[in-house]
Amino acid sequence: MSLFQNISFYTTVNQLRDLPRASGVEVAFAGRSNAGKSSAINTLAKRGRLAYVSKTPGRTQHINFFRLEDSNFLVDLPGYGYAKVPLAIRQHWEHLLSTYLQTRDVLYGMVLIMDIRHPLTKLDLQMLEWFSLTKKPVHVLLTKSDKLSRSQAAYALKEVKYFLTERYPHCTVQLFSSMVGYGIEEATAILTDWFGSAGAKIHQHTIELETKKTPVKGEKTGGNRLISKASPQGGKARDD
């Protein structure tokens, strides 16, 4: 079954305290405004308007959660870097993005969207710095690759890959185009592996916790329960 076969909108959040209860695996999509993030999500999900595509950059002002199978979520983060957004909103976005990316335990990795014609902007690098502290994987989609010739796109990919290998070895990168449908299979394979690997780890961790909580014959049990911060039953979302 396709990873995105039953994807559906779940909720939208503008404050960290309103994040949904952590119950599965989350993968975040982030990117500079007008880099093609919403189009990439729609293309991968094969849904025309799953993520709203606006002609006005900076329209996405909330964290949007799209539910997959097994209580997993694709998370659409606010676009960043649009100059006409008021300062107060930009500051709120920065706090919302950085705190979510650095503290959300069930967040497995991030897909970072970059316009191939303007990759590795100052704000893209800031996003990489924020997330690098977690040691979690990043997969970069160089979108709008159809806007360049094949040789130009290949050269841009080579340059970005070299930079990431030197500075952020946990990152991978590929060419992508929503317009012509290029790179869908590669990106889907990465995401399927992420959700599968993370789901297996959570399942194994849950089994280990249940085993530890099972009393040994003749052993007295106390009133305290073992609670793991990383457990899928970890309770309310953090709102540091």
Side-chain angles (χ1 to χ4, degrees):
M1 181 169 61
S2 171
L3 176 64
F4 302 105
Q5 182 170 331
N6 296 316
I7 190 172
S8 60
F9 175 76
Y10 182 75
T11 190
T12 186
V13 171
N14 194 36
Q15 299 291 337
L16 290 165
R17 62 176 177 268
D18 296 325
L19 288 171
R21 180 178 180 274
S23 58
V25 180
E26 294 174 8
V27 171
F29 276 63
R32 183 178 172 85
S33 296
N34 209 30
K37 175 167 58 69
S38 295
S39 294
I41 292 173
N42 290 337
T43 299
L44 289 170
K46 299 181 180 179
R47 302 282 186 86
R49 290 177 62 84
L50 181 69
Y52 185 74
V53 180
S54 173
K55 293 182 180 179
T56 303
R59 181 67 178 268
T60 303
Q61 299 180 11
H62 300 76
I63 297 179
N64 294 311
F65 285 77
F66 298 94
R67 187 167 186 165
L68 306 172
E69 294 291 333
D70 301 321
S71 297
N72 296 330
F73 288 98
L74 184 156
V75 185
D76 183 13
L77 301 180
Y80 54 85
Y82 187 52
K84 292 185 179 180
V85 173
L87 176 61
I89 293 179
R90 292 208 307 271
Q91 291 175 335
H92 174 67
W93 286 359
E94 181 172 323
H95 173 69
L96 192 65
L97 287 169
S98 61
T99 306
Y100 171 79
L101 290 172
Q102 293 175 354
T103 66
R104 187 69 166 171
D105 290 336
V106 294
L107 178 61
Y108 181 81
M110 178 176 68
V111 177
L112 185 57
I113 309 299
M114 298 183 194
D115 185 329
I116 193 170
R117 298 166 298 179
H118 314 287
L120 300 172
T121 66
K122 181 179 178 180
L123 290 171
D124 292 330
L125 297 179
Q126 182 181 44
M127 182 64 72
L128 286 170
E129 282 296 315
W130 280 343
F131 202 59
S132 66
L133 299 175
T134 70
K135 307 299 182 182
K136 296 176 180 179
V138 175
H139 187 61
V140 175
L141 297 185
L142 295 177
T143 59
K144 306 183 182 183
S145 61
D146 59 286
K147 302 295 184 181
L148 301 181
S149 67
R150 182 173 298 183
S151 60
Q152 288 173 329
Y155 179 78
L157 175 63
K158 179 181 178 181
E159 290 293 297
V160 173
K161 184 179 293 186
Y162 177 79
F163 177 85
L164 293 176
T165 300
E166 292 293 312
R167 296 278 299 276
Y168 305 99
H170 58 291
C171 295
T172 53
V173 59
Q174 68 164 98
L175 299 177
F176 192 87
S177 171
S178 296
M179 182 64 68
V180 300
Y182 183 79
I184 296 175
E185 293 80 5
E186 183 178 352
T188 300
I190 290 286
L191 291 170
T192 300
D193 179 66
W194 282 10
F195 279 111
S197 298
K201 289 179 181 178
I202 288 177
H203 179 68
Q204 180 61 36
H205 188 60
T206 302
I207 293 175
E208 292 173 357
L209 287 178
E210 292 299 325
T211 301
K212 290 180 181 179
K213 287 189 292 183
T214 302
V216 178
K217 185 176 180 180
E219 177 184 0
K220 293 183 179 181
T221 58
N224 295 329
R225 296 180 59 195
L226 177 63
I227 299 176
S228 170
K229 180 180 177 182
S231 168
Q233 306 299 325
K236 295 181 180 179
R238 298 170 61 179
D239 59 348
D240 307 48

